[in-house]
């Protein structure tokens, strides 16, 4: 209950920068603390008082924390999950705290790489001329680029989380009949792609715009549906007339 270290394994010694368990256990607490800096996932600095072990010792409650560890002697960085559980006596007083450290550096690096790839992809999508909307597997909007904002009339800050049928409403140019949203039909039928003749897009302000679009199902490496991406663009009257002549021939 004093905070003194009484047991550690080889993995704990290595994660704290010591060559052996004996060296780790014999080190004064202030020496251990001076070997590295701790940061939260947000990047904010952490003190040792912020660690779940200290909370468990002071209040008798279990806790968990993901932290980034910067080793001052080597300038290396590692990520770890710290799980702390208090051990109480029959009177409910804390006798000791069990701290489990798990190195998750490889996992965090993979997550950061994926985030960087996603940011790069979103940057590309934001700069292309065609309008792009992506949804999750429930058909809710996750992303729309500036071109999609202009054509639909929806602000991208208001669209995420909304059903795509609220954003992308289409009717037949000839019959004026409402067309089932292609995202919803693809998710239901698990098709791969869907391309239709030009349709009228009902914009947020009620105006209509002639467009053509292509829809593609997104799947992960396990062939599980993760969402839908579709690309659309406005048709100029001249382009539409050309298409009509091609269909007649």
């Amino acid at each position: 209950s004093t905070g003194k270290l009484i047991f550690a394994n080889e993995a704990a010694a290595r994660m704290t920068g010591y060559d052996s368990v004996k060296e780790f256990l014999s080190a004064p607490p202030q020496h251990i603390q001076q070997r590295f800096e701790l940061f939260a996932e947000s990047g904010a600095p952490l003190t040792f008082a912020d660690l779940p072990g200290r909370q468990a010792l002071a209040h008798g409650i279990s806790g968990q924390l993901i932290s980034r560890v910067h080793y001052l002697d080597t300038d290396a960085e590692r990520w770890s999950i710290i799980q702390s559980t208090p051990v109480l006596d029959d009177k409910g007083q804390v006798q000791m705290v069990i701290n489990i450290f798990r190195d998750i550096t490889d996992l965090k690096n993979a997550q950061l790489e994926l985030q960087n790839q996603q940011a790069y992809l979103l940057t590309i999508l934001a700069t292309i001329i065609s309008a792009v909307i992506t949804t999750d597997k429930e058909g809710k909007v996750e992303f729309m680029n500036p071109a999609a904002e202009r054509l639909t009339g929806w602000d991208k800050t208001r669209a995420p989380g909304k059903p795509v049928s609220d954003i992308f409403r289409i009717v037949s140019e000839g019959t004026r009949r409402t067309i089932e949203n292609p995202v919803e039909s693809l998710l239901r039928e698990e098709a791969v792609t869907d391309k239709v003749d030009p349709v009228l897009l009902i914009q947020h302000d009620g105006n209509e715009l002639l467009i053509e679009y292509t829809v593609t199902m997104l799947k992960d490496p396990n062939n599980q549906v993760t969402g839908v991406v579709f690309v659309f663009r406005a048709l100029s009257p001249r382009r539409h007339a050309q298409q009509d002549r091609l269909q007649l021939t």
Side-chain angles (χ1 to χ4, degrees), residues 102-167:
R102 184 160 63 92
D103 191 301
I104 59 167
T105 303
D106 291 343
L107 175 62
K108 289 297 294 185
N109 287 341
Q111 290 176 341
L112 291 173
E113 182 179 356
L114 179 59
Q115 290 172 2
N116 290 335
Q117 291 174 348
Q118 290 175 334
Y120 178 67
L121 175 61
L122 293 180
T123 300
I124 294 175
L125 293 178
T127 58
I128 65 176
I129 297 176
S130 296
V132 178
I133 295 177
T134 65
T135 79
D136 61 16
K137 62 182 180 180
E138 303 299 329
K140 294 182 179 179
V141 174
E142 289 188 329
F143 168 82
M144 58 192 303
N145 69 353
E149 287 186 272
R150 290 193 299 271
L151 296 190
T152 64
W154 280 84
D155 189 302
K156 67 179 179 182
T157 61
R158 297 181 57 194
K162 291 184 178 294
V164 70
S165 55
D166 290 353
I167 310 298

Side-chain angles (χ1 to χ4, degrees), residues 52-53 55-57 59-64 82-87 97-98:
Q55 300 299 315
L57 193 63
H59 306 292
I61 55 175
S62 300
Q64 176 176 292
I82 307 170
Q83 295 174 304
S84 302
T85 304
V87 178
V97 173
I98 299 174

Side-chain angles (χ1 to χ4, degrees), residues 64-228:
Q64 176 176 292
L65 178 70
I66 296 177
S67 67
R68 176 168 56 88
V69 184
H70 175 218
Y71 297 93
L72 297 176
D73 56 344
T74 64
D75 204 34
E77 291 191 344
R78 307 290 295 179
W79 286 89
S80 68
I81 293 180
I82 307 170
Q83 295 174 304
S84 302
T85 304
V87 178
L88 310 178
D89 61 16
D90 54 3
K91 296 181 180 180
Q93 300 298 311
V94 178
Q95 295 302 297
M96 67 178 68
V97 173
I98 299 174
N99 294 293
I100 299 175
F101 297 81
R102 184 160 63 92
D103 191 301
I104 59 167
T105 303
D106 291 343
L107 175 62
K108 289 297 294 185
N109 287 341
Q111 290 176 341
L112 291 173
E113 182 179 356
L114 179 59
Q115 290 172 2
N116 290 335
Q117 291 174 348
Q118 290 175 334
Y120 178 67
L121 175 61
L122 293 180
T123 300
I124 294 175
L125 293 178
T127 58
I128 65 176
I129 297 176
S130 296
V132 178
I133 295 177
T134 65
T135 79
D136 61 16
K137 62 182 180 180
E138 303 299 329
K140 294 182 179 179
V141 174
E142 289 188 329
F143 168 82
M144 58 192 303
N145 69 353
E149 287 186 272
R150 290 193 299 271
L151 296 190
T152 64
W154 280 84
D155 189 302
K156 67 179 179 182
T157 61
R158 297 181 57 194
K162 291 184 178 294
V164 70
S165 55
D166 290 353
I167 310 298
F168 191 78
R169 295 182 297 144
I170 51 178
V171 298
S172 168
E173 181 190 13
T175 66
R176 308 290 305 172
R177 294 179 58 182
T178 298
I179 299 173
E180 181 182 18
N181 193 282
V183 173
E184 295 174 350
S185 62
L186 280 180
L187 289 173
R188 183 181 64 251
E189 301 169 7
E190 294 197 7
V192 179
T193 60
D194 187 22
K195 187 172 183 178
V196 299
D197 293 330
V199 296
L200 289 173
L201 171 68
I202 309 301
Q203 297 173 301
H204 189 41
D205 60 5
N207 289 326
E208 299 175 352
L209 182 68
L210 189 66
I211 65 166
E212 61 180 3
Y213 66 89
T214 301
V215 189
T216 304
M217 180 75 69
L218 297 176
K219 295 188 177 183
D220 64 19
N222 296 319
N223 205 36
Q224 298 298 308
V225 176
T226 60
V228 166

